[in-house]
Amino acid sequence: MINTSLKELSAQLVSKKISSVELTQTFLDRIKGLNPKLNAFITIDENKSLAQAKAADALIASGKAGPLTGIPVAQKDIFCAEGWLSTCGSKMLHNFVSPYDAHVIEQFNRSGAVNLGKTNMDEFAMGSSNETSYFGKVKNPWDLDAVPGGSSGGSAAAVAARLCPAATGTDTGGSIRQPAALNGITGIKPTYGVVSRYGMIAFASSLDQGGPMAKSAEDCALLLNVMAGFDARDSTSLEREKEDYGRDLDQPLKGLRIGLPKEYFAAGLSADVAQAIEAALAEYRKLGAQTVDISLPNSKLAVPVYYVLAPAEASSNLARFDGVRYGYRAPEYTDLADMYGKTRAQGFGAEVKRRIMIGTYVLSAGYYDAYYLKAQKLRRLIAQDFTNAFAQCDMIMGPTSPTTAFNLGEKSDDPVSMYLSDIYTIAVNLAGLPGMSIPAGFGANGRPVGLQIIGNYFSEAKMLNVAHQYQMATDWHTRLPPLGEGLGVRG
């Protein structure tokens, strides 16, 4: 059951082969057994989840079930969920129980899906390793000495270890795709504006985008059908017709033009990752695709541009956490200014403070033109690179991450090295494009390798088709990590 597709789980629920209560309990039991090893979940509320499952069973019995009715879905703890602890991985919000639902949570509730709990994440989504959470590090189920990637590492680890059938994530600079790659699962970051950010705790508003994480592209299509859609409460939400993102899954790939950016296959890419990606590309050629050499000449600027713009937006967004309205407040202070200062000093972790200081600096009078304005101009050039590339190809492919998962603590004292682990993913966020990562083999150390697929604006259905056809021809996405003897997981 734990490796069953969402489509098949839905069929089993409708045919009464299993109830949602039984399915939910199965995954709750797996969480109890494996979460102490992985730390993938921050919050579990068995009673709430089972109550939702019971309601889903009633909906199914009434004949009004949708494709996700009764399916347990884990929610990244960046999404506010009414009555649930919503911490964003921070001490600052360690005691915050949300009084409302994020748009994404509302959409899942309307579909009849079951909230299985809130997954661990880097504090305020700032990190590439899931080591900055106030609630402790998440471990990679393929190797407990390795990081799961960040910031959606809890969601990725939970899906990979089959603690849940699917999960949500958010992607500001690669935070769905990089952990998906490092855990051997499928994750998609949609075009900016396709999924509402209402109720998604903000990190960098012009870059943040929610998306699904699951075992396969087919599962992600079902999840995206629920998550996507216009929301008037988010001024950046795009007013578009609803799509069926699974409509093209079975289309053949003959004639597909795949662009290979030379900058994604240069120095810094480890040999075993390069070998796995080349093998994946060879599989695509067998499926009828052709590869085209392209260039993204400004991609080398993506990391420095990102680390000017994202901290600038973060420094503004995080100004609201001052101990007055909600969340943590310093226990001892002399006056209002002292309370603000001590609350923020004690409530934020080191990485968050680093980015707030960078962001405040680049936005300050005298430095705005030199850093922030210049970075915005370079962002335009990076986006134009992709526009030029899509005149030559239909999809762009390359590695999601330059290496497989690195060891816990390996880059903790070297922020620049940590930031470079997102070198292939950040440009997609700066351009607002959709991108995804799918499993494409294993490195020399036995840790997963991810293939990144980048599409043009609003090409999610085509991207999922491209990923699905590969997954019909290979079995990397069905492999399970060697965890949990007696819990139904085998290597």
Side-chain angles (χ1 to χ4, degrees):
M1 184 187 297
I2 60 169
N3 216 22
T4 305
S5 72
L6 297 188
K7 188 176 176 181
E8 180 58 27
L9 284 177
S10 180
Q12 292 182 13
L13 288 165
V14 170
S15 67
K16 308 289 196 298
K17 187 175 179 181
I18 187 171
S19 70
S20 177
V21 169
E22 291 169 329
L23 183 63
T24 301
Q25 190 63 61
T26 297
F27 285 103
L28 288 171
D29 289 344
R30 289 187 59 75
I31 293 169
K32 283 179 194 169
L34 289 172
N35 199 51
K37 284 184 178 180
L38 299 171
N39 199 27
F41 280 83
I42 291 175
T43 304
I44 299 295
D45 190 321
E46 188 165 329
N47 291 333
K48 281 193 177 80
S49 296
L50 290 174
Q52 281 194 316
K54 191 175 178 182
D57 282 331
L59 196 62
I60 292 168
S62 71
K64 297 177 182 174
L68 290 187
T69 303
I71 305 285
V73 177
Q75 303 290 353
K76 183 176 179 179
D77 208 21
I78 200 169
F79 291 105
C80 290
E82 185 178 357
W84 287 79
L85 204 58
S86 300
T87 73
C88 218
S90 178
K91 180 180 179 180
M92 190 63 85
L93 289 174
H94 75 285
N95 58 355
F96 174 63
V97 177
S98 175
Y100 73 106
D101 283 328
H103 178 79
V104 163
I105 300 291
E106 286 177 347
Q107 295 294 87
F108 278 112
N109 288 343
R110 284 179 189 144
S111 76
V114 175
N115 185 346
L116 194 60
K118 309 294 288 296
T119 56
N120 205 346
M121 55 179 286
D122 278 311
E123 184 179 9
F124 285 108
M126 299 179 193
S128 303
S129 65
N130 230 129
E131 294 176 289
T132 70
S133 170
Y134 174 65
F135 300 91
K137 301 170 183 175
V138 178
K139 295 182 179 178
N140 191 314
W142 290 95
D143 187 334
L144 298 181
D145 291 327
V147 303
S151 64
S152 307
S155 290
V159 173
R162 305 305 191 249
L163 302 189
C164 59
T168 54
T170 60
D171 195 314
T172 304
S175 293
I176 286 176
R177 290 161 287 154
Q178 185 249 22
L182 270 47
N183 287 274
I185 67 164
T186 302
I188 179 168
K189 174 229 171 272
T191 304
Y192 180 76
V194 164
V195 174
S196 169
R197 293 183 296 108
Y198 176 79
M200 196 177 98
I201 299 169
F203 163 17
S205 303
S206 76
L207 300 161
D208 297 341
Q209 186 59 198
M213 306 177 81
K215 298 185 287 292
S216 68
E218 184 183 41
D219 285 359
C220 282
L222 286 173
L223 293 162
L224 192 55
N225 281 347
V226 169
M227 296 176 74
F230 175 66
D231 176 15
R233 297 167 298 185
D234 174 4
S235 62
T236 60
S237 177
L238 297 170
E239 196 163 0
R240 304 178 72 242
E241 290 287 324
K242 277 289 240 182
E243 286 189 55
D244 174 7
Y245 291 102
R247 65 181 185 272
D248 294 330
L249 288 178
D250 295 326
Q251 294 296 315
L253 300 186
K254 186 172 175 56
L256 179 78
R257 296 172 300 162
I258 298 173
L260 305 179
K262 65 179 182 182
E263 293 82 5
Y264 286 19
F265 295 87
L269 177 63
S270 69
D272 53 350
V273 172
Q275 189 176 11
I277 298 303
E278 287 298 337
L281 294 171
E283 192 63 45
Y284 271 106
R285 292 187 189 99
K286 286 185 199 172
L287 292 168
Q290 55 181 294
T291 53
V292 183
D293 291 330
I294 61 169
S295 177
L296 300 171
N298 292 299
S299 61
K300 62 181 180 296
L301 301 172
V303 171
V305 166
Y306 177 87
Y307 281 100
V308 170
L309 297 181
E313 295 184 22
S315 71
S316 175
N317 279 324
L318 271 58
R320 72 191 68 175
F321 300 108
D322 55 12
V324 174
R325 302 171 187 83
Y326 40 70
Y328 178 76
R329 176 182 292 182
E332 296 179 4
Y333 48 88
T334 55
D335 54 26
L336 185 62
D338 191 43
M339 190 272 284
Y340 285 157
K342 285 180 176 169
T343 292
R344 290 170 66 81
Q346 295 167 16
F348 289 133
E351 182 61 28
V352 174
K353 289 176 189 171
R354 181 183 294 122
R355 298 198 195 195
I356 289 174
M357 291 176 72
I358 293 170
T360 304
Y361 178 79
V362 301
L363 287 176
S364 59
Y367 294 103
Y368 177 91
D369 287 354
Y371 294 104
Y372 186 78
L373 186 60
K374 186 171 287 185
Q376 289 288 24
K377 291 177 179 177
L378 293 174
R379 180 179 190 173
R380 183 66 253 165
L381 295 178
I382 290 167
Q384 186 62 45
D385 280 355
F386 284 106
T387 300
N388 297 341
F390 284 120
Q392 305 170 60
C393 62
D394 305 304
M395 291 286 153
I396 295 171
M397 289 191 189
T400 307
S401 172
T403 65
T404 57
F406 44 91
N407 287 338
L408 289 160
E410 184 178 328
K411 299 185 180 182
S412 299
D413 298 327
D414 187 352
V416 174
S417 174
M418 183 79 81
Y419 298 163
L420 288 173
S421 67
D422 294 331
I423 192 168
Y424 301 139
T425 55
I426 281 175
V428 169
N429 298 77
L430 292 170
L433 289 163
M436 65 185 299
S437 181
I438 59 175
F442 294 87
N445 52 13
R447 298 172 185 174
V449 173
L451 172 71
Q452 183 173 207
I453 304 170
I454 302 169
N456 210 338
Y457 299 103
F458 310 116
S459 65
E460 285 84 358
K462 184 61 183 173
M463 288 171 55
L464 289 161
N465 158 236
V466 169
H468 179 69
Q469 289 301 303
Y470 177 79
Q471 291 182 335
M472 290 299 95
T474 61
D475 68 351
W476 301 118
H477 64 294
T478 67
R479 305 288 184 93
L480 296 172
L483 267 175
E485 289 181 14
L487 285 165
V489 177
R490 60 192 182 283

